[in-house]
Amino acid sequence: MGAIYPALSIIFICIVATFVIEFISWVLVYRKKEFAPLQNDIKMLNKKLNLLQEQPEEKKTKKEIGIIKNKIRSATTKLNGLRFKTTFIMPFVLMAIFGILGQYYDGIIVAKLPFEPFGFIRGMTSRGLEGIKEDNFDCSFLPIYILGNMGIKPLITKLLGFAPPRSAGGMSPWEQATARAESFKEKIK
């Protein structure tokens, strides 16, 4: 498979690496008795927060929202503390795989890009292809490995049910900032 479809073999290796990392995470974090209650608490507190934020604003409601946000922060901090071990181990596993792939795919054109990369991206796409590179459209293993890990890890983590609960209010930081900007905009009117 490696000689015929090197890009697909790199993606396959990313998938296997993600499962290995998730298994290590399961052994060190997810199977512990403290993990599930913390994750459920965060989800429950997010639901309460959403319900309170939908109600008309009153002094009592604002105080309850503040209390719930503090509880969410506290539970998230505890959850991140549990995940510290895997957060520390994961880069070492990924660097080891990177080293192995670097040796195996050194000097091999893995793919042809549909565009000519610019500046610092060109150095990344042609890493390990010195001397055999025909044009700037040639691609080494590095961008495929990076994009594979960036795209596959969150997907597999979510499919296995280990994705972290969303932040306070059940919204991403971008959604929270947008909501704050809109509420500020309405106050100005």
Side-chain angles (χ1 to χ4, degrees):
M1 183 172 168
I4 300 172
Y5 301 111
L8 291 178
S9 66
I10 293 169
I11 297 296
F12 178 74
I13 290 169
C14 288
I15 291 169
V16 171
T18 300
F19 277 111
V20 167
I21 290 169
E22 288 303 316
F23 177 74
I24 292 170
S25 296
W26 181 80
V27 168
L28 295 175
V29 177
Y30 302 143
R31 72 180 180 144
K32 288 192 173 185
K33 60 185 174 191
E34 302 95 12
F35 178 77
L38 268 176
Q39 195 164 19
N40 291 335
D41 286 348
I42 293 171
K43 287 178 184 176
M44 181 194 65
L45 288 168
N46 278 329
K47 285 180 184 177
K48 280 184 182 179
L49 184 62
N50 285 337
L51 290 174
L52 284 173
Q53 287 176 338
E54 291 172 1
Q55 294 178 359
E57 288 190 28
E58 296 175 8
K59 192 172 187 178
K60 183 181 176 185
T61 309
K62 284 185 179 183
K63 187 175 182 180
E64 288 180 45
I65 289 173
I67 291 170
I68 291 176
K69 282 185 178 181
N70 285 337
K71 286 181 181 179
I72 290 172
R73 272 189 224 110
S74 173
T76 303
T77 302
K78 288 178 186 174
L79 193 64
N80 290 338
L82 284 174
R83 290 185 172 178
F84 177 74
K85 292 176 191 173
T86 57
T87 304
F88 186 72
I89 293 171
M90 185 175 67
F92 293 110
V93 172
L94 293 175
M95 284 189 288
I97 293 169
F98 173 78
I100 293 167
L101 285 175
Q103 289 176 346
Y104 186 75
Y105 288 104
D106 189 35
I108 298 175
I109 297 171
V110 175
K112 285 278 193 188
L113 298 174
F115 59 91
E116 186 172 353
F118 55 90
F120 69 95
I121 302 292
R122 186 175 300 137
M124 181 177 67
T125 60
S126 63
R127 182 185 185 279
L129 299 179
E130 293 80 19
I132 64 157
K133 189 170 100 164
E134 299 166 9
D135 58 21
N136 287 331
F137 295 95
D138 293 338
C139 181
S140 68
F141 81 96
L142 182 59
I144 294 171
Y145 177 69
I146 291 171
L147 292 173
N149 277 326
M150 286 173 54
I152 291 170
K153 181 165 180 9
L155 178 68
I156 291 176
T157 303
K158 191 169 188 168
L159 287 174
L160 292 175
F162 300 138
R166 298 197 73 178
S167 60
M171 296 188 289
S172 70
W174 179 260
E175 292 168 334
Q176 290 176 8
T178 304
R180 277 191 229 118
E182 287 175 0
S183 68
F184 181 71
K185 192 174 166 182
E186 288 177 15
K187 287 179 183 178
I188 292 175
K189 288 181 181 179

